[in-house]
């Protein structure tokens, strides 16, 4: 995994981590963006001409669960970013590779209530996977699950919390705005005892639907698996359609994020008869491209130098 790859004008790269504590009481998401794909500021810059992705960088850090939660995503300019093969710094926060571990130092302000987020996340990746998957027919959007079977240690001073659990790490990159290629997608991962199963269903803006169904094993193998039935999840306040693939009906459905164009859900589901912890995301890019949605986003996503 490198942090210094080329990102073309209008394009993007992101590094994604999600994790759940072993006791199921806590969850975390961290996403580092170069060319922040869901940024209204980046979208408005593209409308004015060639937009520099380095001028639209952000770290999205979120804490869920027992105790005080936090949500932060401050967009910053090129003056606030430094990149090297093994390090990405955005403002006061940074991701770095330390031997085989990924260490993330978070120093952010949460929104909409201004509260501090200060802590360290340490990820032991387990088996590392190098396969890159094209998400569109032209290969302009790519996805690499780097460490689908990782372990995580979370230590925060603000808020005060400490836990360990299972984690997932991936990378996405694209050569154009993501809404140019897709209308929507749903993605889910289920962590089992021997493998992590991932389903990715994409609705391109042009051409037929695309799907990926893959199992990432503890032994380092990647296997294609049978697609499971689509299970529609309960509606949300913003009425973004959400679903996932699971052999049985999901239970213990918990909404982590409910926005005008995006949902993140936790539940018990999976490709076997045994229900396992599952994270699912649904994205409506037609909604994201709507002017009224982009006008709302700065209230949660402030911009600083």
């Amino acid at each position: 995994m490198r942090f210094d790859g080329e990102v073309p004008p209008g394009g993007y790269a992101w590094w994604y981590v999600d994790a759940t504590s072993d006791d199921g009481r806590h969850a975390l998401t961290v996403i580092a963006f170069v060319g922040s794909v869901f940024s209204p500021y980046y979208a408005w810059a593209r409308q004015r001409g060639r937009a520099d992705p380095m001028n639209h960088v952000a770290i999205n850090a979120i804490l869920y669960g027992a105790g005080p939660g936090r949500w932060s995503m401050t967009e910053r300019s090129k003056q606030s970013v430094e990149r090297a093969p093994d390090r990405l710094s955005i403002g006061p926060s940074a991701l770095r590779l330390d031997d085989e571990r990924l260490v993330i130092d978070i120093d952010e302000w949460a929104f909409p209530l201004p509260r501090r987020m200060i802590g360290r996340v340490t990820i032991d990746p387990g088996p590392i996977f190098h396969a890159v998957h094209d998400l569109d027919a032209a290969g302009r959007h790519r996805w690499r699950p780097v460490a689908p079977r990782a372990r995580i240690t979370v230590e925060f001073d603000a808020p005060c919390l400490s836990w360990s659990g299972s984690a997932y790490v991936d990378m996405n990159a694209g050569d154009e705005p993501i809404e140019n290629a897709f209308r929507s997608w749903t993605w889910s991962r289920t962590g089992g005892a021997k493998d992590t199963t991932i389903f990715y269903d994409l609705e391109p803006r042009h051409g037929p639907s695309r799907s990926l169904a893959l199992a990432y094993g503890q032994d380092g193998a990647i296997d294609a698996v049978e697609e499971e039935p689509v299970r529609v999840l309960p509606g949300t306040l913003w009425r973004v359609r959400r679903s996932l693939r699971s052999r049985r009906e999901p239970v213990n459905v918990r909404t982590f994020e409910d926005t005008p164009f995006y949902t993140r859900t936790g539940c018990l589901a999976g490709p076997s008869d045994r229900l396992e912890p599952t994270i699912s995301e649904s994205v409506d890019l037609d909604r994201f491209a709507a002017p009224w949605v982009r006008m709302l986003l700065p209230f949660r996503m402030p911009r600083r130098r």
Side-chain angles (χ1 to χ4, degrees), residues 34 58 69 95 101 121 139 149 171 192 229 237 240 242 257 279 301:
V34 174
L95 294 77
R101 300 183 305 168
V121 173
R149 300 190 56 78
M171 301 169 56
L237 177 65
V240 173
R242 58 177 178 167
E257 293 293 331
I279 300 294
M301 299 164 56

Side-chain angles (χ1 to χ4, degrees), residues 225-257:
V225 296
E226 182 180 351
E227 292 182 354
E228 298 297 336
V230 174
R231 306 291 183 179
V232 176
L233 296 171
T236 66
L237 177 65
W238 285 105
R239 299 184 179 180
V240 173
R241 290 179 296 176
R242 58 177 178 167
S243 62
L244 56 74
R245 290 187 179 271
S246 177
R247 182 170 299 182
R248 293 169 55 189
E249 286 290 344
V251 299
N252 295 354
V253 176
R254 179 181 177 190
T255 301
F256 288 137
E257 293 293 331

